[in-house]
Amino acid sequence: MTVSTEDTIRWCSTLADDSDETPSLEDCLDAIPNLDSLDSLPRGTRVLVRGDTDVVVTDDGSIPNDVRIRSLVETLCFGGRRGWVQLVYGHRGRDPGLSLEPVARHLERLVPLEARGNRPVAFIGEWLDDQTGTVLASAARQVAELHEGTIAVLENTRRYSLEQALWKAGVDQITEMAPRLTNYVNSVAKSLAVIHVNEGFAASNRDLSSTLVPLGCQQVALGRYIHNELTRYVTRTRQADLVVFSGIKINKLDDLQQILQRKVVKTVIAAGGLALALKAAQAVHDGREFGLGLAADSTQAKIHIPPERIEQAGQMYRQGLEAKVEFVLPLDFILGDGSASATIPDGEAQFDVGPETRADQVAAVGRFLESHQAGVEAGHRPAIAFYNGVFGLFEEPAFETGTREFIGQLKRMTDAGAEVYVGGGEGGTALERYGQPDWVTHCFTAGGTILKALGNQPIPYIKALYNKTLGVRA
């Protein structure tokens, strides 16, 4: 099919609209096809596989932590045995200069020879005219010449500015870009493939490769890994009774707000910048004052908490109390000199939670487990906890105590029969550093995706696949 400019405008406007009534994640997953739906595709069919290719490559070209690349293997083997020509595409962070060629070489080591047509994994370098959105003729020829059963990796999608065009685009920008976007989606369908498999679990931004390409495809599906992660683990995490939230980035307040709006969580254990905003909001609510120290200084970009964030936290705090949510906030802080303080003096910053806070967190976990045990005895499901982020500058031994000790609480909860899920990023790093994999039920390979999934707004690629599945162009 050929996509019109009007189709593109309607589709992209829907993707950018957070106020529409897209069903819950669970309902979307019930509707979106999985890999088995493509079983009857004939040999030689070209299939785009959106992958989690955002990995760190060392100077010698190796990929020490390849868990994201390994997530592609089962899907690629599925397609390889059926003789599909599979085109893997994705990005490596936000640096457009980083190449995906090492990913191609690494896939050769992971995917059995017979599952890639007994040929090396091909690499297709420059493949898009960024100004027009047209797939280059040279790349189209390379794809056309690929033998059935083979795998090829396309160069970094973020080498092209077009890939992130929908990140912050409003209706006016979408209309202005529509001819270029329309050319892109039609050119990809014509020159590359009309079948789209999403295996990019962590790719939760509005990248065109995840959200616009499906518009021009005949069939779409979720890959093996992503389908299992979403249906088996993410949907379970969405039922969390306890969430542990921390980190230096104050924008995590948005994620927590989304989570609380679903009215499932009963207890929030918070630390980091997010906790400071909530502490300030709590003080206002109680008629007290709470000093933010350096976090009140607008020149401290990394840790600054602006007044509007305090207002946002205040709204969250009041609504949480009305919903009987328990907020477990820091009682003391470790300052830069290593001392513990119930306040953060002017000119100072917090680097970890203090001993009183750690004891209070242990008590909160105890209450959570008492509720869990009572529920199990009454025939209810096990209680569920979600842990995300770290409590301080844990990279430095002087400020790792809060994080290290709380990782032990994850084991305590698991041993008591509760389900414990850990977000990717720093939370996963902390588990790896201070604990063992079997201390939790599941540790995700993605951070941002999980936070979005726990809220009440759809993950962009889920929204796109759902709309395509239902035949929605608008």
Side-chain angles (χ1 to χ4, degrees), residues 260-277:
L260 290 175
Q261 285 176 353
R262 292 184 53 244
K263 298 183 178 180
V264 176
V265 172
K266 299 179 179 67
T267 303
V268 175
I269 296 178
L274 173 138
L276 291 188

Side-chain angles (χ1 to χ4, degrees), residues 89-113:
Y89 67 144
H91 64 82
R92 280 185 56 201
R94 301 191 181 187
D95 184 349
L98 298 178
S99 176
L100 259 63
E101 188 164 10
V103 172
R105 303 289 69 81
H106 198 76
L107 281 173
E108 283 184 345
R109 293 189 282 274
L110 296 177
V111 180
L113 190 62

Side-chain angles (χ1 to χ4, degrees), residues 27 55 147 173 181 186-187 217 229 240 282 293 310 351 357 369 382 386 395 437:
D27 288 341
V55 293
H147 295 274
Q173 290 85 3
L181 296 174
N186 285 325
S187 185
C217 290
E229 288 291 293
Q282 182 187 57
I310 306 298
F351 289 87
T357 300
L369 291 178
F386 172 67
E395 299 91 346

Side-chain angles (χ1 to χ4, degrees), residues 339-353:
S339 64
S341 173
T343 61
I344 304 177
D346 292 342
E348 297 273 4
Q350 60 155 348
F351 289 87
D352 194 5
V353 295

Side-chain angles (χ1 to χ4, degrees), residues 19 130 161 290 362 408-409 457:
S19 63
D130 200 15
S161 62
F290 176 77
V362 170
Q409 294 301 304
Q457 296 294 339

Side-chain angles (χ1 to χ4, degrees), residues 270-272 329-335 338-343 350-362 391-392 398-403 405:
L329 304 178
L331 301 176
D332 58 349
F333 309 89
I334 300 300
L335 305 179
S339 64
S341 173
T343 61
Q350 60 155 348
F351 289 87
D352 194 5
V353 295
E356 289 188 40
T357 300
R358 298 197 297 272
D360 195 44
Q361 291 171 345
V362 170
F391 292 169
F399 306 118
E400 69 173 353
T401 305
T403 301
E405 292 193 2

Side-chain angles (χ1 to χ4, degrees), residues 110-149:
L110 296 177
V111 180
L113 190 62
E114 64 274 12
R116 46 186 169 88
N118 294 306
R119 289 180 169 82
V121 173
F123 177 71
I124 298 174
E126 295 298 330
W127 60 274
L128 186 70
D129 183 329
D130 200 15
Q131 297 303 311
T132 65
T134 303
V135 174
L136 299 177
S138 57
R141 283 194 300 272
Q142 284 180 271
V143 171
E145 293 170 357
L146 292 171
H147 295 274
E148 65 180 38

Side-chain angles (χ1 to χ4, degrees), residues 376-413:
V376 169
E377 291 174 356
H380 301 154
R381 64 160 174 80
I384 298 173
F386 172 67
Y387 171 77
N388 179 79
V390 292
F391 292 169
L393 191 64
F394 79 117
E395 299 91 346
E396 296 188 15
F399 306 118
E400 69 173 353
T401 305
T403 301
R404 185 187 68 240
E405 292 193 2
F406 197 86
I407 294 298
Q409 294 301 304
L410 302 183
K411 183 178 187 299
R412 177 189 177 193
M413 290 186 276

